[in-house]
Structure formats: structure tokens, C-alpha cells
Amino acid sequence: MTPIRNIAIIAHVDHGKTTLVDAMLWQSGLFRENQQVRERIMDSMDLEREKGITIMAKNTSILYRGVKINIVDTPGHADFGGEVERTLTMVDGALLLVDASEGPLPQTRFVLQKTLKRQLPIICVINKIDRPDRRPLEVLDEIYDLLIDLDADESQLDFPLFYANAKLGTATVDLEKAKAGDVADGLQSLFQAIVDYFPAPQGDPRGPAQFLVTNLEWSDYVGRVAIGPLRRGTLRAGGEVALLKKGEFALKAPLKILYTHEGLKRVETREASAGDILAVAGIPEAFIGDTISDPNVLEALPPVVVDEPTLTMEFGANASPLAGREGSLLTSRQIKDRLEKEALFNVSIRVEPSPSGAEAQQVGARGELQLAVLVETMRREGFELSLGPPRIIVKTEDGTPQEPLELVVIDIPEEYIGVVTEKLTARKGQVVKLVNHGQGRARLEIKAPTRGLIGYRGQFLTDTRGSGLLNSINIGYIPFQGPIKGRSNGALVSDRVGAAVGYALFHLQPRGQIFVSPGDPVYPGLIVGENSRAEDIWVNPCKEKKLTNIRASGSDEALRLTPPRKFSLEDAISYMREDEILEVTPKSLRLRKRVASPR
């Protein structure tokens, strides 16, 4: 039987997880020397490659000196924390990556906290050691401080440490060699540490089978595929197994096909023993958290538990006058079925009927980015949607309403400290830490209600001229903080149907920023711009110039229009007020008022 190590690679977003996996796959001999392989091999979704982030956890494996190392690449963004929580139930150790300049950030805290809670050993890798602003010794101190803050025990504090350049595929325990780029053996010392330091999976291959479903996929050939670790016993293709839901027997079924991982490929096998990460087909009723067991010994494994959503958004059918022009999936029934399917495969999503009574669904998630990724996926599938503004989920404890609280870590040029703290304190934020590393940039840690951060990220980029970095993570709940001032500007709202005209838009420019271009279709209630003042104004964007036979010098000069503001999906979701709706189609994003005429 081949020895096995099951590991996860965890880190904050953009600290180099997927790049390190690329290097590990190359140096394991998986690819031919002249084979054409794209960068960030594990980022297989179009959205992942476009955004440069990992959204879904994915499995691969390498063979090092006769030991099979199953590797799971995890997301680094807090909104996709459910993927991390599922992943950690599959593995026996974790590689913790930390940027040599940025140090531990909010998602580093989140993933490390979950890892320590499961008593998993870690190997720490300080990555991007080639950065000119690296500060590896200070970052190491910050990692120890974080571990102590998370109540790590002595054994967890005594971890192997590597300095790496994932882009070049090097890792070493010698800091001076890492700085000089003098690492001859690539990642070999890291591979050896994984084999020596991480424990082999525990589980008796001769006992009754126990397999935990931690992920689901769909295949057009074999149907639903359940992925997870085989904790005990042996599974055989064609053998009968039992499915346990919430610890109770649900049904018996034959195990049609059994897969194991070899590199990036999923390979069919006849038999697999305890310790490996497998994919099984033949049980369409399997769901995340279920146990597949020996039919004669019904013993359930602990289910996958993830943190609860903190935000909700209402998904409904597109009811605008332009509905049906671009999409093919339009009805509320089709939207409901698609969301319920998403909830099957994504344990951190919650779907339930909207309390408004309309034929809409209320979707709960970890954050605005997770909701935006879901919406973007659906629009690419041909859906047309109307979205309400994101709202926080308020809990009640001892009769007191509680709202979610976030730790916000901000890295900015020091000249912007004043404007950032002013804006966030107005949104009920409290500064808890300010560190200036003496290199012209400062790091702020601020505790702020999730509600206060909705719509702030765009303002933050404007205030810091695009030079600031903002990351946040949910850290619990606090008593409801009262009213928080949202968007201060009103809207320019179309009062009629037609097509926007350059002449009308030119004369609307002095009132504020325009969102539409000449020729764009408009209708009553459509937001065509942002008013420079607080109130909404109903305007006519279709007004044309009256033509006469009289010509005057200068009257027919070309109109100079300022380029309109074009929203990304995340920007549009953050921008909405309570009385507004976002219309999403495969090609367009339009903001509109709920009421289609002036009151």
C-alpha cells in the first residue's frame, strides 16, 4: 500500500498558494519538460482566471519518493471560507503561506484559527522572499503573535519554517540563501518536510468503511460525484454501501465507480483503502456532510460544520421593460431551481423564500464577493435577474438585536490615514491598532459593523487614489449600532422610455456623474446618473435639440461628453440603496428605482 499524506495549502488571498501548487506539480515530474501548461493550473474556472483568485477548493496529488501527497488548494478570500472549512475536514496537516511583506492578514487569521481548532499540524512558508520590501523576521514575529492570540499550544508553536519564492519554485530553511536566490534543490526540502512532519492518515483499512462527503460535482456521464476522505476500511467499485444522513440510515446503493487522484487527473480504480481522498459515483442522493458506510456497520462521521452567512440579498425575475432581450432563463421558477442547486453544492449558501412575499428568493452568503460570483455565474448561464440591496442578518440574544462585526485590516500610504479613519468612524468603526513600518505606508486595524462596510470599498479606493489595500473578516456579533449613513448622493432618474441622447446627457452633466451613453435604452425609473446632491431628480435623458432654419455662430459645435461611469457587478451591488434594484442580464447591468414614477 502506497504511503499517503493529505495536506491543504491555506493563506490570505494573493499570497501565492496556487503559484506554489504549480511549482510543486512541475517539480514532482508530472509534466514533460516541453509540455505546454498554463500558469495557475488549479484555477480552472473562467472567473478564477479573470479575477486572479481561487474560488473553489480543488484536489490534486503528486508522488514524492514513493509517498502520495494529496494536495488541496483552498480559496484565500474570506467570502469563500466555507470551502476552507470543508477542506480542513479532508486533510491531516496544512501549509500556511504568508507574504514576506504583508504578513498575516484577516483570512490568515481565519484559516489558521480553523486549522488549530482541528488540531492539525502546520508548516509555515514565508513566501515572496524576493520582494524588495520584504521583512521576513518581523512577519515571523507577527505569525507567532497570531498563534499565541489564537491560543495555540506549545506543539503548534514549534513548526517547521521555510522561506520561499513560489514563482521560481524554491524553498529553504536558510534565510540568507533565500534572500540571495541561492537555492539549488528547488522545493525538495519542502517535499521532505511534508513527508517527515505531517502524520499519515489514521484509519484501519480492515475495519468497516467510513467515507465523509465533503464536496460534490456533476458529470454528464455518471451523474453526481461525491468527493471526500476515506476514514476507515476499504471501498470497492460495484460493492454495496449505505448512505447516512444526519447520523440516520437513508438508503443502500451500489457504488458504481470509484476514482482516485493522480496529478490533475481523476483515475478510475477498483479498490481504495483508508487514508486516501476519493471520488465516488452511483449515489445521487449523497450530500455534503453525509457518511457513506459499510451497510452492516452504520456509524456516521461528524458532519461538516461551517460558519453562518452574514449577508442576504433578494434574487427575483427581471421585471423591467427591457426584460427578455438578452437572456434565455427568465422565470422565477428557473431562478429558484438554479439557486437550490447552488445550495446543494455550496454549504455556505442559504436559500429560502423572500419574506417580502414576492416570487423571489432570499440568498444568504458570507459577503458581497461571494454573492457577486454567484450572480456572475448565473448571468453567464443565460439568466436575467433583479437583485435587491445586500442586507445584514441580525440575530437576537437575550432580547437584544445583534449585528455582525468585522475586523478590517487596511494598508495605505500614511498621508491617507486621516481620511480613511474619518470615513470608517462615521460608519461606526473603531481603530484598535495603528502600525507604521517607516516605509511610507501604515497598517490600520479597525473593528466595524458589516453594515458599515457595505458600499465603502469603492469609496475607499477613491479616497486612497487606488493605492490602498482593504481586507476584512467576520469576528462575531455586537449589539446593533443604530443608523449608519449610507450613500450621500442621490440619483438622476429617467422619467420616460426611449433612447439616451447626447444633447440631453450634455446638459445633465453639470448635475452629476452620468452612467449611460448616447443610444442606450432608458425607461421610467432607470438610474442614468448620480446627482451631486443628496436628493433624487427625475430627468429627461431623451431630450433632443430643437432644429430651426436659423444658424448662429458657435451654436452647432460638437458636444463634449464626459465618459460615463461603468459599474462592475461588485460595484453595482455595493452602490444600491434600499429603494433601488439592480437589473442583471448576460450583457448589461442597470440600476433602477423600485417605483417607476416620481411620487
Side-chain angles (χ1 to χ4, degrees):
M1 179 178 161
T2 304
I4 294 174
R5 301 292 185 273
N6 297 324
I7 68 167
I9 299 186
I10 57 176
H12 187 83
V13 65
D14 201 31
H15 279 196
K17 298 178 305 301
T18 307
T19 305
L20 180 63
V21 174
D22 280 7
M24 295 174 80
L25 290 171
W26 271 108
Q27 295 188 29
S28 69
L30 182 64
F31 307 118
R32 300 188 312 274
E33 189 172 336
N34 63 345
Q35 187 172 343
Q36 294 295 314
V37 181
R38 67 188 182 187
E39 292 184 352
R40 302 200 326 270
I41 308 162
M42 297 293 284
D43 284 348
S44 54
M45 294 170 59
D46 289 342
L47 275 175
E48 290 179 319
R49 304 195 67 78
E50 290 168 18
K51 293 179 178 291
I53 61 174
T54 301
I55 294 171
M56 298 291 290
K58 301 173 193 69
N59 297 46
T60 187
S61 72
I62 61 176
L63 200 63
Y64 175 75
R65 296 184 178 177
V67 179
K68 181 181 182 181
I69 303 175
N70 285 315
I71 304 170
V72 189
D73 183 21
T74 64
H77 198 286
D79 284 18
F80 307 107
E83 294 291 311
V84 179
E85 290 162 316
R86 283 192 297 174
T87 296
L88 294 178
T89 65
M90 302 165 63
V91 299
D92 304 294
L95 284 184
L96 174 69
L97 254 69
V98 182
D99 189 290
S101 173
E102 295 179 1
L105 287 174
Q107 182 69 354
T108 314
R109 167 181 284 270
F110 173 81
V111 295
L112 191 54
Q113 183 179 32
K114 298 295 181 182
T115 302
L116 297 178
K117 188 176 179 181
R118 296 191 63 83
Q119 296 293 309
L120 297 176
I122 64 168
I123 292 176
C124 184
V125 180
I126 296 180
N127 192 27
K128 302 188 182 181
I129 200 66
D130 58 323
R131 286 185 61 159
D133 57 347
R134 65 192 174 220
R135 46 187 194 91
L137 297 180
E138 294 93 328
V139 166
L140 180 57
D141 288 340
E142 291 171 10
I143 294 169
Y144 279 120
D145 290 343
L146 177 58
L147 283 161
I148 293 167
D149 189 39
L150 295 175
D151 296 326
D153 58 37
E154 289 187 16
S155 64
Q156 292 167 325
L157 289 169
D158 186 20
F159 52 79
L161 174 66
F162 285 83
Y163 301 97
N165 182 342
K167 193 173 287 187
L168 295 180
T170 62
T172 178
V173 296
D174 190 321
L175 176 57
E176 295 308 315
K177 284 188 176 181
K179 286 180 179 179
D182 181 22
V183 183
D185 63 347
L187 296 174
Q188 298 304 304
S189 57
L190 180 60
F191 285 141
Q192 193 61 52
I194 290 171
V195 172
D196 293 341
Y197 184 70
F198 288 138
Q202 302 299 310
D204 181 5
R206 294 181 295 275
Q210 276 187 314
F211 174 89
L212 179 64
V213 181
T214 58
N215 203 356
L216 296 173
E217 290 183 7
W218 177 263
S219 166
D220 291 334
Y221 302 102
V222 297
R224 181 173 295 186
V225 178
I227 302 167
L230 180 58
R231 295 293 189 201
R232 189 179 68 193
T234 299
L235 288 179
R236 295 175 180 83
E240 190 176 56
V241 294
L243 181 68
L244 307 181
K245 289 182 172 291
K246 297 180 180 179
E248 301 294 328
F249 172 77
L251 55 90
K252 290 183 181 180
L255 202 60
K256 292 181 181 176
I257 305 177
L258 191 62
Y259 300 99
T260 185
H261 294 88
E262 288 185 9
L264 299 174
K265 297 183 293 184
R266 200 175 277 163
V267 180
E268 192 172 338
T269 183
R270 294 296 304 167
E271 184 176 290
S273 297
D276 209 349
I277 295 176
L278 308 174
V280 301
I283 311 175
E285 296 82 6
F287 182 59
I288 292 168
D290 292 350
T291 299
I292 294 172
S293 79
D294 187 310
N296 300 314
V297 183
L298 303 179
E299 293 180 5
L301 289 162
V304 179
V305 179
V306 300
D307 291 344
E308 292 296 313
T310 56
L311 286 177
T312 65
M313 185 182 286
E314 190 173 88
F315 284 54
N318 182 16
S320 88
L322 304 178
R325 295 190 181 186
E326 297 174 4
S328 57
L329 300 168
L330 312 173
T331 68
S332 56
R333 168 57 63 183
Q334 289 171 320
I335 293 169
K336 179 175 182 288
D337 290 346
R338 175 62 179 83
L339 292 173
E340 289 177 345
K341 179 182 175 183
E342 181 71 22
L344 285 177
F345 294 88
N346 190 338
V347 291
S348 58
I349 289 281
R350 299 285 186 274
V351 179
E352 55 190 24
S354 171
S356 65
E359 287 190 3
Q361 303 299 310
Q362 184 170 275
V363 180
R366 292 282 185 85
E368 294 166 72
L369 179 60
Q370 188 180 20
L371 289 166
V373 166
L374 172 58
V375 174
E376 182 64 35
T377 303
M378 291 179 67
R379 73 186 292 216
R380 293 185 183 198
E381 293 170 358
F383 282 90
E384 289 196 9
L385 308 164
S386 66
L387 304 176
R391 300 184 177 98
I392 61 164
I393 298 175
V394 178
K395 295 167 56 175
T396 302
E397 291 184 8
D398 300 326
T400 304
Q402 306 272 328
E403 65 175 317
L405 176 70
E406 301 208 13
L407 175 66
V408 187
V409 178
I410 295 172
D411 189 290
I412 49 173
E414 54 191 17
E415 62 263 31
Y416 298 125
I417 293 175
V419 65
V420 168
T421 52
E422 178 188 352
K423 293 287 176 67
L424 275 174
T425 50
R427 292 167 173 260
K428 308 292 185 181
Q430 293 184 339
V431 179
V432 294
K433 190 175 181 181
L434 170 60
V435 178
N436 191 329
H437 295 302
Q439 298 176 340
R441 295 183 72 88
R443 176 169 293 184
L444 280 166
E445 291 189 10
I446 298 175
K447 290 182 178 179
T450 301
R451 188 164 46 101
L453 297 177
I454 296 175
Y456 173 69
R457 295 175 193 272
Q459 181 67 50
F460 171 77
L461 290 174
T462 301
D463 290 343
T464 62
R465 306 294 189 270
S467 62
L469 298 171
L470 184 151
N471 297 282
S472 64
I473 187 170
N474 181 267
I475 55 172
Y477 282 77
I478 53 170
F480 193 77
Q481 298 293 293
I484 293 178
K485 186 179 179 181
R487 192 178 88 214
S488 57
N489 296 80
L492 303 176
V493 190
S494 173
D495 63 0
R496 67 198 63 205
V497 68
V501 175
Y503 177 78
L505 298 180
F506 176 77
H507 287 91
L508 288 176
Q509 283 182 162
R511 292 188 176 273
Q513 192 173 27
I514 304 301
F515 298 163
V516 296
S517 301
D520 287 351
V522 298
Y523 57 82
L526 182 74
I527 297 174
V528 297
E530 179 180 89
N531 189 10
S532 56
R533 300 187 179 184
E535 66 273 7
D536 295 336
I537 302 178
W538 292 76
V539 298
N540 176 10
C542 307
K543 183 179 180 181
E544 297 180 339
K545 183 178 180 181
K546 301 298 182 185
L547 301 179
T548 70
N549 290 327
I550 301 172
R551 295 289 180 268
S553 174
S555 64
D556 293 326
E557 291 178 356
L559 303 178
R560 293 183 178 274
L561 292 176
T562 304
R565 177 179 177 181
K566 295 298 182 183
F567 288 96
S568 68
L569 182 57
E570 293 94 327
D571 291 340
I573 288 173
S574 299
Y575 187 83
M576 276 187 289
R577 279 179 168 175
E578 277 295 321
D579 63 339
E580 295 169 359
I581 291 174
L582 177 61
E583 176 188 345
V584 179
T585 72
K587 298 179 181 177
S588 307
L589 298 172
R590 302 183 184 95
L591 286 162
R592 61 183 173 92
K593 291 290 180 180
R594 290 183 183 272
V595 178
S597 61
R599 292 178 180 141

